[in-house]
Amino acid sequence: MSEDWEIRASQLLEVARSLKGELREAFIYLVDNVSVGDLRAAIDLRRRGIRDPAAVLEELVNMGLAERGDECYNLPAPLRKLIAERGVGAIERVLGSGPG
């Protein structure tokens, strides 16, 4: 039987699979940068063409696809564990991004 984190990671990836546009771009950024300062994230996401990074990141938080820390954003714990156990490719394959 799957561990709880695996079930939660699967549920989060089902939500992430439907992301489009700026939300998808910001989520992929968090997959690549599992914990990032809010100012660094804002700068990086603006460079990627996201007009209002703070609003997009907060929307991901509201969807459960990101966590807000002290002056930072984090990928949720189940997805961090998935990356640690199986590599970032496990998420990229679900999203259809990155190398196959």
Side-chain angles (χ1 to χ4, degrees):
M1 180 159 187
S2 289
E3 294 183 39
D4 288 343
W5 73 265
E6 290 174 306
I7 294 167
R8 186 64 185 133
S10 178
Q11 292 167 338
L12 290 169
L13 289 175
E14 278 303 308
V15 173
R17 189 185 307 234
S18 68
L19 294 175
K20 304 284 187 237
E22 291 184 341
L23 284 171
R24 181 180 171 84
E25 183 72 23
F27 181 73
I28 290 170
Y29 171 81
L30 282 177
V31 168
D32 292 335
N33 301 274
V34 296
S35 182
V36 61
D38 53 7
L39 294 176
R40 173 85 275 155
I43 291 167
D44 291 346
L45 291 173
R46 273 195 199 95
R47 286 183 179 151
R48 292 178 179 221
I50 295 177
R51 294 176 302 267
D52 189 353
V56 171
L57 288 165
E58 287 303 320
E59 190 167 348
L60 289 175
V61 169
N62 291 335
M63 297 173 79
L65 295 173
E67 298 171 346
R68 185 81 162 99
D70 291 332
E71 299 181 7
C72 67
Y73 290 96
N74 306 301
L75 201 61
L79 296 180
R80 292 193 311 264
K81 179 137 174 95
L82 178 65
I83 290 171
E85 295 275 328
R86 300 188 190 139
V88 73
I91 294 177
E92 291 172 338
R93 282 187 294 278
V94 169
L95 297 178
S97 65

